[in-house]
Structures are given as structure tokens and as C-alpha cells.
Amino acid sequence: MTQINENYLKLKAGYLFPEIGRRVKAYSDANQNAKIIRLGIGDVTLPLAPTIVNAMVDAAKEMGSAGGFHGYGPEQGYSFLIQKIIAHDYTARGVQIAEDEVFVSDGSKCDCGNIQEIFSLDSKIAVVDPVYPVYVDTNVMAGRTGEVGPDGRYANIIYMPATEENNFEPDFPKEKPDIIYLCYPNNPTGMVATKARLSEWVNYAKKMGSIILYDSAYESFIQDPEIPKSIYEIPGAKEVAMEFRSFSKTAGFTGTRCAYLVIPKDLKGKTKSGEEVSFNSLWNRRHTTKFNGVSYVTQKGAEAVFSAQGQVEIREQISYYMENAKLIREGLNKAGYKVFGGTNAPYIWLKTPRGLKSWEFFDELLGKAQVVGTPGSGFGPAGEGYFRLSAFGKREDVISAIDRIQKM
């Protein structure tokens, strides 16, 4: 009989969001008249902006003509989109990025999960705790970790706790990491990193010979102009960091699927014999081998995001979600909860009341208010005693949810 990859058996019982879905379904089946409000998974609710839709419709019509049909495109992405990405997200911030340093993909989740393939299995990873589960789970699947311990932590992973006690700003690892996962604005805590702090991370990575995997999927929600939107705003970052970006939350592409990964050619790793190799070339080989590219229609929609009207429309949507975040944050404060985040990110991180465990509070919130959030412990052991609410709901649902919570 064919053997399985036993690393999968190390994983905890289920991925966080399917477990939430299972519990919500069980409650819904038993309470069929309940109107459940979902502020858990970070899925957008506003429709695609008109400029994006029009661009995709026009592209679809092109595909229906002999002269406009597009078959396989470049796996790395069409130049028309990559040029707009560079001009808007990098050149405008004084950062020089070359076209062949940008790789268009079908999502940052996929990129964050797949990127570990180009690193040695001997690489030691460091993650902020709590953390987006994909970072940890994909390394477990690959065999880069040991078994999970009674404390919920996997052996051979460096955990960097981010809690109220350290203002959600993790300390640098004392043990040398080969790969450091950073996410700012942070999912799940909603916190951001200042330019000074990011500079410290870049300097630390240089000193330790580490690589930073910088997940910047929520950069468009930053309201404070002093907070950097790209790690490449930090001098020297191109030598130690690759950056993940997404259209999912920025432009509502959660169901449309488009993102991109920046890997500067200055970013190098070493073979066992000491030879330097560009991570850019390794990822290009992986990307072109295992991926056939994002559809032409989708990339034309993504290009429209950077048009003048497209920018107006997506900024309106971002403002809508950030107003939701404000309503949630202020409403929870009024109800006596201790709340973090929600000012430069679409996530609100709250401390569970009365010392409740995260899943205990999940069940209480669902049972008493019919509101769904995300238990903090699902993001890692340091998330125990915390809870995440998403600002991506509809305005009327957000208002209703806060009213229900205040009446609990």
C-alpha cells in the first residue's frame, strides 16, 4: 500500500476556519431561526468596484474575438500589470523594483504557503505568535518541524510571543532563525510596525544572515502616513526580504484571485558548499514549473485598480471597512472590553472577558449574540485569551452585532 506524507498527521485536528464553520453549522442546525452575523473570516462583502468590473468585461469580450484572444500568458504576469504595480506601489515611494522581480499569482495565501519550497528543509523558521496559520502549517506539512507539544507549539519552530505585555511587539529571537515571517499590518492583532522597528528587523536579519518573509497584504488599510507600507522603504531591505502583496482585501478580489510577490535579485541564499544563489531565480523556476499564470481577464481587472477612477473607488471601499472597524472598536470599548487594533488594519483584537478561553468566548458569543468571530488561540498559543473580529461585514450587520454584544 502506498505510504502517506506523515507530516500531515502532525497537524492539529483541523484548519482554523473549517472548525469555525463546523461549529457554526451545528449551532445553525439546532437553531434554524437564528440570524447569525459573521465577523470571523476576513472575507470582503462589498462588490467589485465598477471600474474593475468594466475592465474585466472588456477583457472578456476581447477574449471572444480572433484578434483579442489570449491563451497561455507569461507565468510571472503580464507586463501591463507589473508596470502598474511597480509605478504605484514602489516607484511612488522612492523604491526601485525591476519587472523581473515581481511575480503575479492567484493569492498571497498560496505564495506564503508555497514559498517554503525554495528553502532547505534544515531551515529554522521564526514566527510571531499569534500568527496567520498558513505560515506554520505549510512548514509542518513540508517536514520542517517536530511534533506539536502540550503547549500547542511545534518543535523546531521559534515562537516570538506578541501580547499585551510587550505591546504586541515581539522580541528578536535569541536563537538564530533562517527564515522570519512578519505580517504588518498584522493578522490577527491589527497592529503595525513603525519605520524604526522595521529598520531594526532589517538590521537584525542582516546580522543573523536571515531572510524576512514580509506579508503586507493589508498595507492599503494603513491610515497613519508615518507607517511604512512596504518593507522596501527601509534601506537595505532588498538584501534580506521578500514581500507578499494582494488584491484580495485592497480591491475585493477574495473570489477573483490575484496577488503578487516581490523577490529582489539582491536576495541571496547559499548552497551547502557555500555558493551564492539568487532566490529570485529559484522562485522563477518553481513558479514557471508549477503555475500557469493568472488569467488575462483577471489581470486586466487588477490593472484597473491602479487607474485614477479605480483608486477613487477602492479608497471608498477601504474607508467603508475602516469605518466598520471604528464602530466595532468604539462599541466594544463602550461595552467594557479591552480592545486593540482596528485603526490601521481591518481587524479588531480583543481580550476575552472574565478569563474565558478563546473557544469558550466563541461559543458564548455565538450562543448569546449569534455573532461569529475567530478564537485567538487558533492563531497560536499566545493568542489564547484573545479574540478577533473582522471589519469586512456589511454596515447594518456590524451595527447589529455590536448592539447584540453590548446587550450580552
Side-chain angles (χ1 to χ4, degrees):
M1 186 177 290
T2 303
Q3 293 186 339
I4 67 166
N5 177 353
E6 294 192 18
N7 291 307
Y8 278 72
L9 302 182
K10 299 176 187 175
L11 294 166
K12 297 173 188 177
Y15 184 58
L16 173 60
F17 297 109
E19 173 60 18
I20 290 173
R22 186 192 68 77
R23 293 196 185 203
V24 172
K25 185 179 185 304
Y27 178 85
S28 182
D29 288 347
N31 301 272
Q32 296 188 5
N33 293 325
K35 185 182 183 304
I36 296 173
I37 298 175
R38 300 170 189 267
L39 300 180
I41 191 169
D43 196 1
V44 295
T45 51
L46 294 175
L48 289 173
T51 297
I52 296 169
V53 173
N54 291 338
M56 294 179 75
V57 169
D58 289 344
K61 289 179 179 177
E62 273 188 73
M63 293 287 282
S65 68
F69 175 75
H70 289 75
Y72 291 125
E75 293 94 341
Q76 301 92 335
Y78 285 101
S79 183
F80 64 75
L81 175 57
I82 292 175
Q83 287 178 4
K84 293 289 175 62
I85 287 169
I86 291 172
H88 182 272
D89 288 348
Y90 296 104
T91 305
R93 297 191 178 107
V95 177
Q96 300 304 310
I97 297 291
E99 277 196 51
D100 59 358
E101 293 178 319
V102 179
F103 299 86
V104 177
S105 75
D106 59 352
S108 281
K109 179 179 182 179
C110 303
D111 289 341
C112 288
N114 293 329
I115 195 67
Q116 51 81 25
E117 291 185 23
I118 65 173
F119 295 98
S120 165
L121 282 179
D122 295 329
S123 299
K124 190 99 170 188
I125 73 164
V127 295
V128 177
D129 179 18
V131 70
Y132 183 44
V134 171
Y135 307 157
V136 171
D137 287 0
T138 52
N139 279 284
V140 174
M141 293 172 180
R144 201 168 276 114
T145 75
E147 300 287 343
V148 66
D151 62 354
R153 292 182 169 89
Y154 286 95
N156 208 40
I157 290 182
I158 301 169
Y159 287 84
M160 303 180 289
T163 63
E164 184 183 1
E165 286 68 35
N166 62 9
N167 197 32
F168 302 98
E169 192 171 276
D171 295 328
F172 300 120
K174 294 181 175 61
E175 181 184 355
K176 178 189 179 303
D178 297 296
I179 304 166
I180 304 166
Y181 287 83
L182 294 180
C183 174
Y184 290 108
N186 186 259
N187 178 15
T189 67
M191 306 302 280
V192 291
T194 64
K195 198 163 189 175
R197 186 57 174 170
L198 271 188
S199 296
E200 291 174 355
W201 275 111
V202 167
N203 291 335
Y204 172 84
K206 284 185 176 182
K207 176 183 176 183
M208 303 300 287
S210 306
I211 297 293
I212 296 173
L213 304 185
Y214 193 74
D215 186 350
S216 187
Y218 299 95
E219 55 82 23
S220 60
F221 293 87
I222 293 173
Q223 310 294 299
D224 185 344
E226 297 301 313
I227 300 297
K229 292 195 170 191
S230 168
I231 196 169
Y232 300 129
E233 294 178 47
I234 308 302
K238 288 200 287 185
E239 299 167 25
V240 295
M242 54 183 74
E243 182 165 273
F244 302 79
R245 291 285 190 98
S246 174
F247 293 95
S248 284
K249 309 302 167 37
T250 299
F253 274 48
T254 53
T256 307
R257 309 310 301 149
C258 195
Y260 58 95
L261 168 59
V262 179
I263 306 183
K265 291 191 285 289
D266 290 341
L267 192 61
K268 304 286 180 64
K270 286 186 177 180
T271 64
K272 287 183 178 179
S273 62
E275 177 189 358
E276 283 195 348
V277 179
S278 164
F279 281 114
N280 179 285
S281 64
L282 293 179
W283 182 252
N284 186 62
R285 186 67 172 86
R286 191 266 174 208
H287 198 63
T288 55
T289 300
K290 294 191 175 186
F291 186 61
N292 263 344
V294 176
S295 75
Y296 174 75
V297 172
T298 298
Q299 291 192 61
K300 291 301 287 187
E303 180 192 28
V305 169
F306 299 108
S307 68
Q309 185 59 28
Q311 284 292 296
V312 169
E313 291 167 1
I314 66 165
R315 279 198 292 267
E316 288 175 355
Q317 294 191 344
I318 290 167
S319 294
Y320 177 94
Y321 292 131
M322 290 310 296
E323 179 63 23
N324 282 351
K326 180 182 177 183
L327 290 171
I328 295 170
R329 191 178 69 250
E330 292 180 351
L332 290 174
N333 275 324
K334 186 177 179 181
Y337 291 88
K338 201 160 194 177
V339 182
F340 311 92
T343 54
N344 288 293
Y347 294 123
I348 293 83
W349 190 242
L350 64 100
K351 199 160 189 176
T352 57
R354 308 184 309 280
L356 289 174
K357 299 288 188 182
S358 298
W359 280 106
E360 290 173 343
F361 185 67
F362 174 92
D363 291 333
E364 180 175 289
L365 196 63
L366 179 60
K368 292 184 178 180
Q370 291 77 55
V371 173
V372 177
T374 309
S377 59
F379 296 101
E384 182 59 86
Y386 295 92
F387 201 79
R388 192 193 77 175
L389 291 176
S390 162
F392 289 118
K394 296 178 181 177
R395 179 66 47 78
E396 59 270 24
D397 286 342
V398 167
I399 292 171
S400 179
I402 293 303
D403 181 62
R404 293 182 191 183
I405 293 171
Q406 288 176 340
K407 291 176 179 175
M408 280 176 56

